[in-house]
Amino acid sequence: AQSVTQLGSHVSVSEGALVLLRCNYSSSVPPYLFWYVQYPNQGLQLLLKYTSAATLVKGINGFEAEFKKSETSFHLTKPSAHMSDAAEYFCAVSDGETSGSRLTFGEGTQLTVNP
Amino acid sequence: DAGVTQSPTHLIKTRGQQVTLRCSPKSGHDTVSWYQQALGQGPQFIFQYYEEEERQRGNFPDRFSGHQFPNYSSELNVNALLLGDSALYLCASSFLSGSSYEQYFGPGTRLTVT
């Protein structure tokens, strides 16, 4: 079975500060990992994905994440937060068996950006 | 190119009733997955359809059923609604044989059971 733990249900940063959202996973097979963002009353938008290629993955809107197998982590970072980054962020894992494999999500982290 | 679309946007039902939610996948996609997102929680996988058959299923009771049509669109049916079924229902589409491993999500249907 696969699982995801997101440390910190709420994270608050100042505009311009570093954003760090933590994600740890558990998987019995090599995982495929994803970060999604959800704005209020909307669906999920893919930020970035790790599919066993480069361990440092760059995504949209200046976000990036690093896959660390030894730490079973896939933390999301952004050097400088913008007000528009305020949203809920979800880390997800799949077994990567096929492109449509089921996703297992974490509980989410609500990011607040203060002016 | 239209993305994933879902209808209706919002729905209010009474406990014990039945509901049908609809999803049209992104153009070129052949697989549809359904997720339930309760308030303040991450999405939970319900099931996935491919070639008009249920391919994978999560830990949901048989009250939850689905269908996929030849044009790849899909329906989610929930019978005997409970208050706990109130949630945002998300549809995601993908191309099963593709190499992108990406699932594209629709805006969701907000179901309220009273």
Side-chain angles (χ1 to χ4, degrees):
Chain A
Q2 298 176 302
S3 66
V4 170
T5 301
Q6 292 185 239
L7 300 176
S9 58
H10 291 84
V11 170
S12 182
V13 301
S14 298
E15 191 174 18
L18 171 71
V19 175
L20 171 60
L21 304 183
R22 299 178 187 273
C23 172
N24 288 89
Y25 69 90
S26 174
S27 178
S28 58
V29 298
Y32 283 26
L33 295 158
F34 306 82
W35 275 99
Y36 283 86
V37 61
Q38 186 175 37
Y39 297 99
N41 301 312
Q42 294 188 25
L44 302 176
Q45 180 184 9
L46 180 67
L47 281 176
L48 48 79
K49 63 182 179 182
Y50 167 76
T51 56
S52 75
T55 57
L56 182 61
V57 180
K58 295 186 183 299
I60 62 172
N61 301 338
F63 284 95
E64 64 180 39
E66 186 172 8
F67 171 69
K68 292 186 177 180
K69 183 178 179 180
S70 60
E71 299 177 9
T72 61
S73 69
F74 189 56
H75 302 330
L76 181 71
T77 61
K78 182 174 180 178
S80 176
H82 295 157
M83 297 296 291
S84 60
D85 294 327
E88 181 119 33
Y89 291 79
F90 292 95
C91 181
V93 63
S94 82
D95 59 17
E97 179 183 333
T98 64
S99 188
S101 289
R102 61 187 289 178
L103 296 171
T104 299
F105 286 87
E107 292 292 298
T109 297
Q110 182 69 47
L111 176 65
T112 300
V113 182
N114 303 305
Chain B
D1 174 27
V4 180
T5 60
Q6 293 186 243
S7 63
T9 305
H10 295 87
L11 204 52
I12 300 176
K13 289 287 188 178
T14 303
R15 191 172 46 185
Q17 287 187 318
Q18 178 265 343
V19 68
T20 297
L21 311 181
R22 295 176 176 82
C23 171
S24 291
K26 182 179 171 64
S27 178
H29 285 182
D30 57 8
T31 304
V32 173
S33 301
W34 287 92
Y35 293 82
Q36 180 195 65
Q37 186 180 16
L39 197 61
Q41 297 184 21
Q44 299 281 326
F45 176 79
I46 303 175
F47 44 53
Q48 181 182 84
Y49 277 83
Y50 171 70
E51 292 189 338
E52 303 180 48
E53 292 190 358
E54 186 180 286
R55 178 175 173 271
Q56 292 181 311
R57 189 178 182 92
N59 188 27
F60 279 79
D62 292 343
R63 297 187 297 109
F64 289 77
S65 63
H67 189 78
Q68 186 180 34
F69 299 93
N71 67 352
Y72 307 116
S73 66
S74 176
E75 287 182 349
L76 164 65
N77 300 293
V78 186
N79 295 322
L81 285 167
L82 303 174
L83 296 179
D85 295 331
S86 294
L88 179 68
Y89 289 84
L90 296 165
C91 167
S93 74
S94 57
F95 179 53
L96 196 69
S97 302
S99 58
S100 73
Y101 293 89
E102 293 179 17
Q103 295 190 32
Y104 290 80
F105 283 81
T109 293
R110 174 74 62 186
L111 172 65
T112 302
V113 182
T114 61

